[in-house]
Amino acid sequence: MLNERDMQVAASRALCETLEQQGDFRTFVREIDHWAYFPCADSRSHYVERCVHAGFSLRGTSEPMGPWEMYGAQVWHRDVPSDEAMEQVTLFLYDLAFEAGGDYDGWETRIVA
């Protein structure tokens, strides 16, 4: 049975495979966006501070629109979406979100063919 960290790695590798299937060479540096969600604004702020300190940039935040929604943060960095690079980044951001009481929700980037 996979734990949450293993599932993040699997999801990241699946996204890398999808990029490749779409004709992406995965050798070009480009912007890569990441999302995470938190139960309160303070948790989100803590996450964003740690991300910025680690070299990520904040693209935006979102506020809950209802009682079931959370406080969102979208951060980005420039990198090559290789399996190894994305595994490291995904686990780093997953751990930061977990430490802040939130959930890392994955990444996306544009296809470069």
Side-chain angles (χ1 to χ4, degrees), residues 42-69:
D42 288 342
S43 294
R44 178 183 62 194
S45 294
H46 178 72
Y47 173 80
V48 168
E49 283 177 26
R50 301 271 318 267
C51 288
V52 169
H53 182 72
F56 293 84
S57 297
L58 178 63
R59 183 150 341 257
T61 60
S62 62
E63 302 300 314
M65 299 297 283
W68 59 91
E69 292 187 15

Side-chain angles (χ1 to χ4, degrees), residues 80-91:
V80 173
S82 69
D83 290 338
E84 299 79 21
M86 295 315 301
E87 181 177 326
Q88 289 179 351
V89 169
T90 296
L91 290 177

Side-chain angles (χ1 to χ4, degrees), residues 87-104:
E87 181 177 326
Q88 289 179 351
V89 169
T90 296
L91 290 177
F92 175 74
L93 293 174
Y94 170 84
D95 289 343
L96 284 183
F98 181 80
E99 290 169 12
D103 295 309
Y104 176 76

